[in-house]
Every structure is written in structure tokens, then in C-alpha cells.
Amino acid sequence: MKCAKIAGLGKCLPSKILTNADLEKMVDTTDEWITTRTGIKERRIVDKGVAASHLGVEASKIALERAGISPSIIDLIIVTTITPDTQFPSTACYIQEALGASRAACFDLSAACSGFVYGLTTAVQFVKTGLYKNVLVVSSEVLSAITDWQDRSTCVLFGDGAGAAVITEGDQDSVLGVYMGSDGSETEVLSLPAGGSRIPTSQYSLDNRLHYMKMQGNELFRIAVRVMVDAAKRALKKAAVNVADISLLIPHQANERIITAVAKRLRIPQDKVYMNISRYGNMSSASTIVAFCEAWEEGLIKSGDIVVLDTFGGGLVWASAVIKWL
Ligand code: UT7
């Protein structure tokens, strides 16, 4: 087996900020409710016409530059998103064209908020088997496009953004252990009901607002804490890493209370937990990679550090990865 190294990270956030005060003017909510229930103060929203590929391309350019990799030698592009530019072609193909990564194979991967860890794990397999040397993983979301801006129970939670990681053949492995889980008996808890083959877009789906995300927040909250703790423990076991050796926990940024509860149950002190939910809200698959990239940019991740990514989302799906920063 070859070794697979995380060679560079990048991110792109739209410049337009939507604050809790702005939302107070749109729906029956308050800054106090949003802050205390979620930890979110503001989120980024794209301008009209900006799609997932546009954010993904900008994040990719930064990751590729940091990795010292030219787009012309990318073998594979994997995009994780629940807001693809189009049902098909894949968003990966749009990104390929914009980057000029002409020799790459391209596909999109659907694993909701766990998308980055699923994508990273997939990329690592391609490199370790020797099939590909340079893989680009992009997690990009324009959740504002599938958010019901009349539904206060969901519209305060989400934001837009993208992150990217370059995985290359190296001397050592960056990913020491992973765990991925799913539960298809809970598909109703968080979903985008219409627009696929199950409920094609129609006047009915539009009238019933089925082209927007639906979420049973309470139910999700309960499951999220349990499965995120379980996923992290299993990934740590596979990596043969102790909780005490973790330098930084980077959880999916869905709710500050979920993050705090997960860290507490894992016995990880809060000063080793990275959070940027107050500034960006929940960006689905982009949340984890944006937080990973930002933590690195802030100098919080140094060579030899052990970083644990821990995610959970619609499907249901969950996944955790134990990473040694090389
Ligand atoms: O990324 C994928 C994974 N996502 C998650 O894991 C999300 C998990 N869930 C959550 O983060 C939380 O459940 C929410 C933040 C979504 C909701 O918090 P909660 O503490 O579970 O609130 P709730 O749904 O139980 O609602 C409590 C009350 C309700 O009023 P009544 O029925 O008690 O009178 C809601 O109608 O809060 C009301 N409410 C709001 N009030 C003001 C719901 N949304 C709002 C709002 N502003 N935006």
C-alpha cells in the first residue's frame, strides 16, 4: 500500500453577511433565541447566480497552491455537496473545467454533512491503492438555495461556503483511522423532499414548499450527540490513538450545544475544540473542511498534531477521521 498525505487545504466564504438582526426582520425570531439555542450569530450568503462550483473553485485554487500541485496533474476530483450546481452534470465536472484539470476523473458524492469525511476517506483509498497520485476533495454548499426563508425553525441555521483538500501520495499517512456509519431508517428526519425522482418538481411540490429542506431538529439533536461520540471513539480505536493525545477536535458545526455535549462525553476539554459556528452557521459538508482549514490558518494545527474530525447529517450519516498533521 502507498501512503496518502493531506498536502493542502483551502476555503472560500461569500462576503455577504446575514446577521441574526437581519433575520429578526424576516421571520418571527430573536437574536437571543438563535444565539442561546444554536451559538450562531451570523452566516454567509452567496450573491444571486453564485453556485456551489463557483465557491468550490476558489477554495480549490488555494488548496492546490498550498499543496504545490498544478491542476493539470489532478487525477480525480470528488465533490461532496447537497446543493450541486445541477442534478447532472456533476459539480465536479464544472470545477474540472474551471480549474483546467483536464486529465481528472470527476464525480459527486452524497453524504450530507458528513460529506467531507466520506470524500476524504474515498480519496485516501484511491491514493493508497496506487490508482491515483493526486486527488482533490471539494465540499461546497449553497444552502441558501434550498432554505425556506419563511420557516424560522430552519432558516436561522444554515449558511453558504466551501472548502477543499488535496490528497497526494506521500511518505506517511495523514489519516490514521476512520469510521463511517449510516442509518437509512431515519431518512425523514432531515431531507430535501422534492426535486428528485421520488417527488419530481411540479406545481404540487412548489405549492407545498417541498423543494426546501425539512428538519426535525429535536430528534436530530438527540441522535447527533450519541452517534458523533460513537464515531469518534471507533475512529480513535482504529487509529490506536488515546483521547489524551488529541490536539484538536473539529466537529461538524450544526449546533454549539451538540458540540459541547460531544466534547464533554469524549472528555475532551473545550480549549481543544474548534468552533466557528457563530460566524458561519451550519454549511453542511463544507462546515468541517472550512473549520479544518481555518484552524490550520490560525496556527492551531502544527506538524505532528492529532486532529479528529467528527460529523453527522441527513441520511442519517455520520463519520469521524483521526488525522496526523504532517
Ligand atoms: O447538520 C445536520 C444536523 N443538524 C442538526 O444536528 C440540528 C440539530 N438540532 C438542533 O440544533 C436544534 O434542535 C434546533 C436549534 C434546530 C432547535 O432547538 P431546540 O432547542 O431543539 O428547539 P425546538 O425545536 O424544541 O423549539 C423550541 C421552541 C418552539 O416553540 P414552542 O413549541 O416551545 O412554543 C419553536 O416553535 O422554539 C421555537 N422556535 C423558535 N423561536 C424563535 C423554533 N425556531 C425558532 C426561532 N426563533 N428561529
Side-chain angles (χ1 to χ4, degrees), residues 28-30 33-34 37-38 113 152-153 156-158 190 215 217-218 220-221 224 252 254-255 257-258 282 312-314:
D28 180 16
T29 192
T30 60
W33 191 96
I34 303 169
R37 298 287 178 128
T38 71
C113 308
R152 72 173 183 172
S153 72
V156 302
L157 303 174
F158 301 105
L190 177 56
M215 185 172 93
N218 271 325
L220 268 181
F221 193 112
H252 173 49
N255 186 311
R257 290 182 295 141
I258 293 178
N282 180 348
F312 167 75

Side-chain angles (χ1 to χ4, degrees), residues 300-312:
L300 298 175
I301 302 174
K302 302 199 172 55
S303 182
D305 280 358
I306 300 288
V307 175
V308 175
L309 310 182
D310 198 10
T311 64
F312 167 75

Side-chain angles (χ1 to χ4, degrees), residues 179-201:
Y179 179 77
M180 300 191 293
S182 306
D183 180 1
S185 71
E186 301 276 9
T187 50
E188 305 294 315
V189 181
L190 177 56
S191 69
L192 179 63
S197 53
R198 206 168 261 253
I199 307 177
T201 307

